[in-house]
Amino acid sequence: NDFTIELGSKDIVVYPRHSEKGWKVTLVDTGLSTMTGARVKCIEKFIDSDVFMLSYGDGVADINVTDLLNFHKKHGKIGTVTGVFPPSRYGELAIQEDHVISFSEKPENRENSINGGYFVFNREFFKYLRGDTECVLEREPLQTLAAEGQLKVYHHKGFWQCMDTYRDYTFLQDLWKKGEVPWKVW
C-alpha cells in the first residue's frame, strides 16, 4: 500500500491498493554513515521471530522467497545467503602464453556465484553483529559464520540484476519499458 507519514504529528495516512492483511512495516533510522552490519544490529529489537529475511534492496531478482525460506529451515544453520550468477560486463579471453585460445563477449558466469543480497537468518545471528557504526555485514559477521560452518548458500540461477550504477538503472528501465520484467513475480 501507499502511505504518508507526517513526522512530528504521529499522523499516518494509508491509501489501500492491495488486500494484504497483517503486514507490519517499521522504518528504522540507522544513521547516515552506519555500515551494513551495524544497520542490521539496529533492527534487532524489532525482530519478533526466530527467523528473519534481509535484503540490501539495491537489486531485483525472480527469487522464490518461499523456496529460499524452506531451504534455510531445512539445513538448520544460522544463515543463508543467496548465490547468484551475474552476467559479465566484459569480454573474456582464454589465453595460453600469448595466444588467445577463445574469446567470449560478456559471457554468463556459471561457475562462481556472488552474494546476491537476499538472506535468511536465525535470530542467533545478532550475536555476530557489533552495534558500533563500523560493523560491516560482509566482513567479520559473515566471514565468521562461514568459518564456523553456519552459513549455507541458496543457489539462484534465475534472473538477478544489481542497480548500483546509472548504467544498471538504465538497463533495468529499458527492460521495464519493453515489458521484459523477469523480477516482477507478483
Side-chain angles (χ1 to χ4, degrees), residues 36 40 52-63 65 68 79-86 113-121 125 137-138 142 151-156 159-164:
T36 51
V40 176
F52 66 100
M53 300 180 91
L54 176 71
S55 175
Y56 294 134
D58 64 351
V60 291
D62 61 354
I63 296 170
V65 294
L68 170 61
T80 299
V81 59
T82 300
V84 298
F85 303 88
S113 59
I114 65 165
N115 170 6
Y118 292 85
F119 302 90
V120 184
F121 292 112
F125 181 62
L137 178 71
E138 303 79 12
L142 288 179
L151 185 64
K152 295 286 248 177
V153 63
Y154 174 80
H155 297 283
H156 176 68
F159 181 85
W160 176 88
Q161 174 65 47
C162 64
M163 192 167 74
D164 295 332

Side-chain angles (χ1 to χ4, degrees), residues 46-110:
F46 299 103
I47 303 298
D48 58 3
S49 62
D50 292 333
V51 174
F52 66 100
M53 300 180 91
L54 176 71
S55 175
Y56 294 134
D58 64 351
V60 291
D62 61 354
I63 296 170
N64 183 319
V65 294
T66 301
D67 290 349
L68 170 61
L69 183 59
N70 289 338
F71 173 82
H72 176 78
K73 289 178 177 179
K74 185 177 178 182
H75 65 62
K77 302 294 182 184
I78 294 172
T80 299
V81 59
T82 300
V84 298
F85 303 88
S88 174
R89 293 181 188 224
Y90 307 102
E92 187 174 290
L93 302 174
I95 301 170
Q96 198 170 51
E97 295 180 17
D98 62 351
H99 297 282
V100 176
I101 304 303
S102 68
F103 179 88
S104 179
E105 181 62 16
K106 300 179 184 173
E108 287 195 18
N109 179 356
R110 291 294 175 191

Side-chain angles (χ1 to χ4, degrees), residues 5-64:
I5 301 171
E6 187 177 337
L7 299 177
S9 72
K10 299 183 182 179
D11 289 338
I12 300 174
V13 179
V14 178
Y15 310 99
R17 296 186 327 161
H18 303 281
S19 61
E20 290 89 355
K21 301 283 186 218
W23 282 72
K24 181 168 73 171
V25 177
T26 302
L27 306 174
V28 179
D29 181 0
T30 59
L32 192 57
S33 60
T34 305
M35 300 306 293
T36 51
R39 288 179 188 273
V40 176
K41 186 70 171 172
C42 288
I43 67 165
E44 181 176 9
K45 64 185 174 188
F46 299 103
I47 303 298
D48 58 3
S49 62
D50 292 333
V51 174
F52 66 100
M53 300 180 91
L54 176 71
S55 175
Y56 294 134
D58 64 351
V60 291
D62 61 354
I63 296 170
N64 183 319

Side-chain angles (χ1 to χ4, degrees), residues 124-143:
E124 185 179 351
F125 181 62
F126 286 112
K127 292 189 297 187
Y128 291 76
L129 302 170
R130 297 184 328 271
D132 66 85
T133 60
E134 300 302 312
C135 178
V136 178
L137 178 71
E138 303 79 12
R139 292 200 181 122
E140 185 181 327
L142 288 179
Q143 290 171 356

